[in-house]
Amino acid sequence: GFLSSCLHPAVTMARTLCIALALAPAAGFVQPSTSTAATALKADASGMDGIQAPVGYFDPMKLADKVNDQTLLWFRAAEIKHGRVAMAAFLGCVATGLGVHWPGVIDASGTTFASLGEGHLLEAWDKMPFDGKQQIVAAIGGIESVFEAQKPHYLTGGVPGKVRLTGSTSGVLEAKYDAATLKKKRDAELANGRLAMLGMAAFIAGETIPGSVPALSQLGFAGDYAGGLPFAPF
């Protein structure tokens, strides 16, 4: 039906961000070494952004009791990055399913953007020309390098998830909204990112493991994808 056609086709550029992120030289996903000045355990996570109804504070594995403040900030930065990539990927899935894509061709041989949205969900990456894959990896690596090079670093007084691509230290949102509104927006981003990560995990499972997600199986996800992902992306 219509819903199946919206969700089943492969995503174009936004979808491939999930795969490319794992390939970029991302220093932010390497757990930092702890200094002698920051070795106190039981970091306080109870006051962090993202704690909201209906779940509230959720730490069943008590990770906050096993790490220091720096590691907790690293966890938060990684969560924000993964959430943003997942939101872009999920949006790409929906947009491609609705037939929204760039016009024209993606390479000199005549591969069209529209053709990437045909077939299995994960086949978009398999169909993409190698040069296109390299460009995506390079773009993500560039953004990650800017993020990690910012001063102060998010582990030493900076803000996890804040990417400043200009020379200004003030952001558009900081100047436009008050503190309460900014916190509400940060909470919304975290909540949406978490849902998007679950959604993308369901899509991947539904494409690769037959019957793993019954709701998606009813929408045409047969679980018979035979491409190279996730273990052989190139």
Side-chain angles (χ1 to χ4, degrees):
F2 175 75
L3 184 56
S4 176
S5 67
C6 288
L7 295 178
H8 186 67
V11 61
T12 56
M13 299 293 285
R15 175 70 45 155
T16 58
L17 287 176
C18 272
I19 308 304
L21 185 64
L23 305 174
F29 288 89
V30 179
Q31 184 172 353
S33 59
T34 58
S35 65
T36 57
T39 56
L41 296 182
K42 294 189 177 180
D44 185 13
S46 62
M48 297 182 72
D49 292 334
I51 301 174
Q52 51 196 313
V55 178
Y57 181 68
F58 183 76
D59 186 15
M61 298 180 68
K62 299 188 181 301
L63 295 178
D65 294 341
K66 304 173 184 177
V67 301
N68 59 30
D69 290 334
Q70 281 192 330
T71 304
L72 194 63
L73 290 172
W74 177 78
F75 284 158
R76 172 45 50 89
E79 179 186 22
I80 293 173
K81 292 175 187 178
H82 281 88
R84 289 171 178 171
V85 171
M87 286 188 284
F90 196 91
L91 177 61
C93 177
V94 174
T96 303
L98 294 173
V100 179
H101 52 74
W102 295 105
V105 299
I106 196 173
D107 61 8
S109 63
T111 304
T112 64
F113 283 99
S115 68
L116 300 182
E118 299 171 352
H120 281 280
L121 184 103
L122 300 179
E123 288 179 354
W125 183 258
D126 298 330
K127 295 176 181 178
M128 184 173 296
F130 182 72
D131 288 346
K133 296 177 181 179
Q134 287 184 312
Q135 291 172 30
I136 292 173
V137 171
I140 294 176
I143 295 173
E144 180 70 6
S145 297
V146 170
F147 178 65
E148 290 296 325
Q150 290 179 158
K151 303 297 181 184
H153 192 270
Y154 60 85
L155 295 181
T156 56
V159 180
K162 183 176 180 179
V163 182
R164 188 173 65 250
L165 299 178
T166 67
S168 174
T169 58
S170 63
V172 176
L173 293 180
E174 286 89 339
K176 185 177 181 180
Y177 300 109
D178 58 25
T181 303
L182 286 172
K183 185 184 185 314
K184 182 178 180 180
K185 291 183 177 296
R186 290 195 301 269
D187 287 344
E189 180 187 28
L190 286 164
N192 290 333
R194 291 164 182 168
L195 288 174
M197 286 188 278
L198 291 174
M200 286 309 304
F203 281 158
I204 302 301
E207 278 285 86
T208 57
I209 305 174
S212 58
V213 187
L216 293 181
S217 297
Q218 297 178 9
L219 296 176
F221 284 70
D224 57 353
Y225 168 73
L229 296 177
F231 304 110
F234 289 98

